[in-house]
Amino acid sequence: SGHVAAASLWAGLRAMAEDVEDASAAGVVSLEVRARMWASMFWTMDQARQLVSDMVRISTSSVYVGSNPTEMALRDLHATCASMEALREAAQAAGRVYLGMPAASVFFA
């Protein structure tokens, strides 16, 4: 269900945030931790966008009413995702780190 998927995404973000906080407190945020941060953030964003889009797809036409919470969630999530696309290169750099390649990104400098 959507609730279980959302809870799972939230748990993954919390775990990633704890790893980043622990590394930061220790004084060194490694490439691997930064890669997990960027990859987790974009994967969660993409999954959330898909979940909300699927919810709208199976909804009735009432979802398109301006004050419907489902329509508002779709609009807000897509607006947030659109603003993050400029940073998509960081997720690609995270993939390079996972593959043992140089990140080649200002986000990993």
Side-chain angles (χ1 to χ4, degrees):
S1 87
H3 178 72
V4 172
S8 177
L9 293 172
W10 181 242
L13 283 178
R14 279 195 327 258
M16 176 271 299
E18 289 172 7
D19 288 351
V20 172
E21 187 175 345
D22 290 347
S24 180
V28 177
V29 181
S30 69
L31 285 177
E32 291 77 15
V33 170
R34 285 184 272 164
R36 180 169 180 231
M37 178 189 74
W38 285 109
S40 296
M41 182 189 69
F42 274 96
W43 187 83
T44 299
M45 182 181 74
D46 291 340
Q47 294 302 308
R49 180 175 24 200
Q50 187 62 51
L51 283 169
V52 173
S53 295
D54 288 349
M55 186 171 59
V56 170
R57 183 178 46 79
I58 62 173
S59 296
T60 64
S61 61
S62 66
V63 77
Y64 299 106
V65 175
S67 62
N68 184 293
T70 303
E71 187 274 336
M72 290 169 56
L74 178 70
R75 184 187 63 227
D76 293 350
L77 184 60
H78 277 276
T80 300
C81 292
S83 69
M84 295 299 296
E85 284 304 316
L87 304 175
R88 178 69 66 175
E89 185 266 325
Q92 294 165 349
R96 289 191 293 273
V97 170
Y98 284 138
L99 293 171
M101 300 166 59
S105 169
V106 297
F107 298 104
F108 288 81

